Amino acid sequence: MGEPNNALKVYMKRPDRIRSVLEYYLGEELPKDWECSQADGFLPTRDAKGKLTFRERDYLGEARAWGVRFLLGIENQQTTNLTYPWRLMEMDCLTYGRGIEAIQERNEEKRVRYGREDDFKYRYRKADVLEPVVSLTLYWGKKEWSGPRTLKGMMGDMSPLPHKLRKLVGNYRTAMIPMRSISDENLSRMDSDLKYVLGILKRTGSKKRYEQYILENREYFSRIPRSAVDVIDVFTNIGDIRKHLQYVQNQEEGEEEADMCKAIEDMKKHEMKKGLKVGRKQGRKQGRKQGERLGTLKTLCTLVNDGILEAGDAARRANLSKKAFGMEMKKAGYR
């Protein structure tokens, strides 16, 4: 499968999953006027040499709630990043910059007239409104986040500076949800399949536990979307199960689905057949060895009976005591 971030980007773009994380973060349901549609997350910029490059947000949406329009940015992290507050700040700044450019271009196209309180030089009116950017980070890692969560957290000790100068140092805070730490009680309240995907990730330490969890939630896992399989696979390594998955197109959702419960059952059957095959093979091998030994004993008994070989020598060759070899002679009908 692909890299974890690619799988998460595809998985977390669905509106119902976005709703689940927002409602968990807020601790309440979103209002009825909530709506969100994916926007362009490519943010052009230039590198140190002046060459055009870009940053890409994991998810950027045009959202509306509480009568307010805003941009919703969702970033996925799997490991601790020591420069993360700066990276997120940079993406937010680029997003705001693009918003300002869009306003400037619109004003230029409409050939607006600027008043005394407007900014003619920057083609920006006092009445122009910049959409706020709301950024939420989803941390999917097993270990607790150990890096800074603020821009000031990346800085050294500033206590020697005068208090007034310290107040001038700008800060930037990140809002982060440790996804694997969401309690089962809170997961049960979610209205999307995110609760099942996280339920699996919380049980990755034991194959037996996550297989049991899949079978206990058969209704969902018998029709699991492919995007959810990808996320589970990159974090759980379900290679054995994935080999037995067969996908069918869900016409209503427009996404492929698979029956993971059947895949587990097929895998168990395959393992059982393999075990029986190995058992039969071992049985045949043991039978051959036993037959060869009996043939050797019969030959040795015949040689002793014909006086060609001494009983002691025959017992040594058969790896038996002289007494035990004598008993084998009697079993063979010799005295």
Side-chain angles (χ1 to χ4, degrees):
M1 292 291 179
E3 292 294 321
N5 196 59
N6 292 336
L8 289 171
K9 282 172 66 175
V10 172
Y11 179 74
M12 284 307 303
K13 70 179 182 180
R14 213 167 78 176
D16 60 329
R17 295 163 183 164
I18 294 171
R19 173 188 281 272
S20 289
V21 293
L22 285 177
E23 289 184 339
Y24 168 74
Y25 180 76
L26 294 170
E28 60 184 52
E29 292 185 3
L30 290 170
K32 292 182 178 179
D33 68 339
W34 160 258
E35 59 183 41
C36 188
S37 57
Q38 190 169 8
D40 180 12
F42 285 90
L43 306 168
T45 184
R46 293 190 181 275
D47 60 19
K49 296 181 179 180
K51 291 185 177 180
L52 188 65
T53 181
F54 66 90
R55 301 285 185 271
E56 182 183 6
R57 304 207 68 143
D58 288 341
Y59 177 86
L60 185 67
E62 288 276 0
R64 174 187 170 85
W66 303 280
V68 178
R69 291 196 174 277
F70 57 94
L71 292 169
L72 174 64
I74 293 180
E75 303 301 325
N76 299 297
Q77 284 291 119
Q78 303 88 50
T79 57
T80 297
N81 188 305
L82 298 180
T83 65
Y84 186 70
W86 169 78
R87 288 179 58 242
L88 186 59
M89 181 182 70
E90 181 189 35
M91 284 192 290
D92 281 356
C93 287
L94 290 171
T95 307
Y96 280 123
R98 189 169 68 178
I100 292 173
E101 288 175 358
I103 292 173
Q104 292 170 329
E105 289 173 2
R106 185 173 66 240
N107 287 341
E108 190 169 330
E109 287 174 3
K110 292 183 177 180
R111 297 184 179 182
V112 299
R113 293 185 177 182
Y114 297 97
R116 196 174 287 180
E117 293 185 335
D118 297 329
D119 194 333
F120 171 77
K121 183 179 179 181
Y122 289 98
R123 296 169 294 158
Y124 203 91
R125 300 173 304 166
K126 188 176 181 180
D128 288 328
V129 176
L130 189 63
E131 285 187 327
V133 179
V134 176
S135 291
L136 184 60
T137 300
L138 311 182
Y139 176 57
W140 300 79
K142 285 184 179 181
K143 298 180 180 178
E144 185 177 351
W145 181 272
S146 57
R149 296 195 184 190
T150 66
L151 191 63
K152 282 188 175 180
M154 294 175 61
M155 302 176 191
D157 181 18
M158 293 185 291
S159 59
L161 288 175
H163 177 66
K164 284 190 175 181
L165 288 184
R166 291 204 306 271
K167 288 180 67 176
L168 298 181
V169 178
N171 197 16
Y172 189 86
R173 299 180 182 276
T174 61
M176 185 176 293
I177 300 177
M179 300 298 279
R180 295 182 191 235
S181 298
I182 300 177
S183 67
D184 288 340
E185 182 181 354
N186 284 317
L187 289 180
S188 67
R189 298 194 188 104
M190 292 183 176
D191 291 330
S192 72
D193 68 349
L194 183 61
K195 60 184 175 183
Y196 298 112
V197 172
L198 290 176
I200 288 288
L201 299 192
K202 292 176 70 173
R203 293 163 173 81
T204 55
S206 167
K207 182 179 179 181
K208 184 177 180 180
R209 283 184 66 207
Y210 73 68
E211 285 185 357
Q212 182 180 353
Y213 181 81
I214 290 170
L215 296 175
E216 287 174 354
N217 295 278
R218 182 179 291 272
E219 184 177 354
Y220 169 70
F221 286 102
S222 61
R223 295 184 60 185
I224 182 171
R226 190 163 197 159
S227 59
V229 174
D230 290 342
V231 173
I232 293 171
D233 182 50
V234 294
F235 286 108
T236 313
N237 190 20
I238 56 168
D240 289 344
I241 298 176
R242 196 182 70 246
K243 286 189 293 187
H244 292 84
L245 289 176
Q246 294 181 347
Y247 293 96
V248 294
Q249 187 74 22
N250 183 320
Q251 299 299 330
E252 293 180 6
E253 299 294 335
E255 186 176 357
E256 289 182 312
E257 295 178 341
D259 189 340
M260 194 173 280
C261 299
K262 183 178 183 299
I264 291 177
E265 291 165 358
D266 290 346
M267 182 181 68
K268 299 293 184 186
K269 290 177 182 177
H270 177 74
E271 290 175 352
M272 188 179 294
K273 287 181 180 178
K274 187 177 179 181
L276 290 172
K277 186 176 180 181
V278 171
R280 286 195 295 267
K281 187 176 180 181
Q282 289 178 343
R284 288 194 296 269
K285 188 176 181 180
Q286 290 174 355
R288 284 197 300 270
K289 285 184 177 180
Q290 188 174 2
E292 290 171 359
R293 177 169 176 75
L294 289 173
T296 300
L297 279 172
K298 184 176 180 181
T299 300
L300 290 172
C301 290
T302 302
L303 292 173
V304 171
N305 185 66
D306 293 344
I308 299 172
L309 195 64
E310 293 291 334
D313 191 21
R316 180 179 57 77
R317 295 188 184 191
N319 200 23
L320 294 172
S321 66
K322 193 172 181 179
K323 182 178 180 181
F325 183 77
M327 293 177 66
E328 293 295 335
M329 289 279 292
K330 288 182 179 180
K331 287 180 185 179
Y334 301 113
R335 295 183 179 182

